[in-house]
């Protein structure tokens, strides 16, 4: 399908900004970036976008129905790429309410605004309209030693974060089944890359190592994640939005399964090369695990590959090396984030 104008919710976030950079670079589409500008927003990641005639910015909360309707009426997009969400598992343990409000209530409000807008469109425009909901593999829960999540894997969320995203997934599916809203969905594995807020695992480890501070690893570091470079994810999202089948969900993975300890040890080795004179492995510090910590994620993206021809271009080794280099070269950015000093979150004791 042809998209001339797209509304990206959460476009100042980590994945959203990567998508917008990709769209500005690789397509001719007009972009409306809708973002609340919460603590994790990265306006610097879109530096220069405001000078592009194809880019517009709207600061608003997706849970504000009047604002959503007004923005849709003003810009009249052909598609919505819904990325706005609270995403940090540890923060969801400390404060679940924000996750319920944004991820569940916000998605509901946005869906209703999108439905009103879609039903007001002329028949041809309505036929080509799309709502792409972006979610996480964490909704599927934890895997054992073998196997991988498919689009048919039953939902079994473990954290307030993943439960809120599971709820939003079900809302989107219900709005398609009940109201006919033309949707596609995707569930991705753990993203990494430049401009990620340093509460997330990989940038946190790099920042801690660069400062010579203890690098906290939960439990024994045995938890396994499938790592996906954010630029590969951006390409996948555009493909799914423009070529995915209506009502379908697509998994997006990076073919980068690694134990957390292996990731940290690899970062230490890269840091030893890039910042010589200090051994970084002695900074490893094992800390109490967080409650409900899923043991293993792995994503089967064969459906996306078979139907849309997508494959990750970045290997984990090359992607991690370039990411570490990026953070070392952008210390001014992460060192200036005074409202977040990389303190431990999500340490609430599990109920007995």
């Amino acid at each position: 399908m042809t998209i001339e104008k797209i509304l990206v919710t959460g476009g100042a976030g980590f994945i959203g900004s990567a998508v917008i950079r990709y769209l500005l670079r690789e397509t001719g589409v007009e972009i409306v970036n809708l973002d609340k500008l919460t603590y994790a927003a990265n306006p610097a990641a879109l530096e220069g976008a405001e000078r592009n005639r194809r880019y517009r910015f709207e600061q608003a909360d997706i849970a504000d129905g009047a604002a959503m309707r007004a923005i849709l009426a003003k810009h009249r997009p052909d598609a919505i790429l819904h990325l706005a969400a609270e995403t940090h598992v540890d923060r969801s343990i400390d404060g679940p309410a924000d996750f319920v409000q944004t991820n569940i209530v916000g998605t509901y409000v946005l869906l209703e605004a999108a439905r009103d807008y879609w039903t007001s469109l002329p028949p041809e425009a309505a036929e080509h309209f799309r709502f792409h909901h972006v979610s996480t593999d964490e909704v599927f829960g934890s895997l054992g030693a073998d196997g991988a999540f498919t689009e048919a894997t039953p939902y079994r969320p473990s954290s307030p974060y993943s439960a809120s995203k599971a709820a939003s997934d079900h809302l989107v599916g219900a709005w398609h089944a009940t109201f006919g809203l033309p949707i596609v969905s995707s569930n991705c594995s753990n993203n990494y890359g430049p401009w990620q807020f340093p509460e997330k695992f990989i940038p946190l480890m790099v920042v801690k190592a660069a400062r010579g501070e203890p690098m906290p690893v939960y439990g024994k570091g045995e938890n396994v994640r499938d790592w996906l470079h954010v630029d590969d994810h951006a390409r996948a999202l555009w493909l799914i939005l423009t070529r995915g089948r209506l009502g379908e969900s697509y998994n997006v993975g990076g073919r980068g399964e690694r134990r957390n300890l292996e990731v940290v040890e690899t970062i230490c080795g890269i840091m030893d090369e890039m910042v010589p004179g200090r051994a970084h492995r002695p900074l490893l510090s094992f800390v109490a695990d967080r409650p409900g910590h899923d043991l293993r994620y792995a994503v089967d993206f064969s459906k996306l590959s078979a139907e849309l021809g997508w494959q990750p271009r970045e290997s984990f080794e090359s992607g991690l090396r370039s990411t570490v280099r990026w953070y070392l070269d952008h210390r001014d950015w992460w060192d200036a984030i005074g409202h977040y000093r990389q303190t431990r979150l999500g340490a609430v004791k599990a109920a007995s």
Side-chain angles (χ1 to χ4, degrees):
M1 62 170 289
T2 300
I3 293 175
E4 295 182 359
K5 183 182 290 187
I6 181 173
L7 175 69
V8 180
T9 72
F14 169 51
I15 299 174
S17 62
V19 169
I20 290 175
R21 293 194 302 271
Y22 172 81
L23 295 177
L24 289 174
R25 184 177 67 247
E26 301 293 339
T27 77
V29 69
E30 294 181 51
I31 302 153
V32 181
N33 175 5
L34 189 162
D35 201 288
K36 187 180 177 181
L37 296 183
T38 64
Y39 76 95
N42 295 319
L46 292 168
E47 186 177 2
E50 69 281 358
R51 296 190 294 273
N52 192 305
R53 60 178 179 79
R54 294 190 286 118
Y55 176 82
R56 297 290 183 273
F57 175 73
E58 295 279 359
Q59 183 173 355
D61 185 343
I62 59 169
D64 183 341
M68 294 304 98
R69 286 174 172 82
I71 289 168
L72 288 170
K74 174 183 176 182
H75 293 285
R76 303 190 64 78
D78 304 308
I80 296 172
L81 180 59
H82 178 35
L83 282 152
E86 293 283 346
T87 65
H88 190 43
V89 175
D90 286 4
R91 284 183 184 268
S92 80
I93 295 171
D94 288 355
D98 287 343
F99 290 73
V100 171
Q101 177 64 21
T102 297
N103 299 352
I104 302 177
V105 176
T107 297
Y108 158 72
V109 170
L110 181 64
L111 282 168
E112 282 291 84
R115 181 163 71 100
D116 287 349
Y117 170 70
W118 169 62
T119 56
S120 75
L121 292 172
E124 184 176 355
E127 182 181 354
H128 291 97
F129 180 76
R130 295 290 183 272
F131 184 108
H132 181 177
H133 174 63
V134 183
S135 190
T136 171
D137 61 355
E138 297 193 34
V139 299
F140 301 125
S142 186
L143 286 166
D146 302 312
F149 299 132
T150 72
E151 290 80 4
T153 299
Y155 277 41
R156 196 174 59 183
S158 303
S159 69
Y161 161 62
S162 58
S164 70
K165 289 299 290 183
S168 70
D169 291 6
H170 291 315
L171 286 173
V172 172
W175 259 243
H176 174 68
T178 301
F179 303 114
L181 186 69
I183 67 99
V184 287
S185 297
S186 57
N187 295 76
C188 68
S189 60
N190 284 49
N191 280 225
Y192 72 101
W195 296 112
Q196 189 171 30
F197 194 76
E199 67 186 359
K200 295 301 180 76
F201 183 64
I202 285 177
L204 178 63
M205 293 301 108
V206 178
V207 167
K208 289 291 190 181
R211 288 178 172 161
E213 298 174 355
M215 302 167 69
V217 179
Y218 286 159
K220 297 180 180 180
E222 295 297 318
N223 303 76
V224 175
R225 297 296 180 261
D226 177 5
W227 293 98
L228 169 67
H229 195 279
V230 70
D231 291 343
D232 280 330
H233 191 198
R235 288 190 301 106
L237 293 179
W238 181 242
L239 274 175
I240 294 166
L241 177 62
T242 55
R243 293 173 48 195
R245 288 184 289 134
L246 276 184
E248 292 292 321
S249 178
Y250 296 86
N251 282 352
V252 189
R255 201 182 285 121
E257 278 187 67
R258 299 290 189 282
R259 291 182 302 121
N260 285 349
L261 181 57
E262 183 181 356
V263 174
V264 179
E265 290 176 336
T266 303
I267 290 172
C268 288
I270 296 171
M271 291 289 293
D272 287 351
E273 293 178 31
M274 294 184 179
V275 188
R278 173 195 290 165
H280 294 86
R281 281 181 178 80
L283 297 173
L284 286 177
S285 174
F286 294 97
V287 300
D289 209 349
R290 71 181 179 213
H293 196 181
D294 291 331
L295 177 62
R296 175 174 169 264
Y297 301 150
V299 172
D300 178 348
F301 58 87
S302 57
K303 177 180 176 179
L304 175 61
S305 178
E307 290 191 14
L308 305 183
W310 180 88
Q311 292 283 339
R313 293 175 180 170
E314 196 77 67
S315 72
F316 182 67
E317 290 73 20
S318 64
L320 184 62
R321 178 172 289 275
S322 66
T323 297
V324 172
R325 181 74 270 166
W326 187 92
Y327 278 91
L328 292 177
D329 290 343
H330 290 78
R331 180 164 187 152
D332 288 350
W333 172 68
W334 51 260
D335 227 8
I337 303 175
H339 58 275
Y340 180 67
R341 305 308 297 179
Q342 295 85 44
T343 55
R344 172 72 191 268
L345 301 171
V348 177
K349 298 292 184 182
S352 59

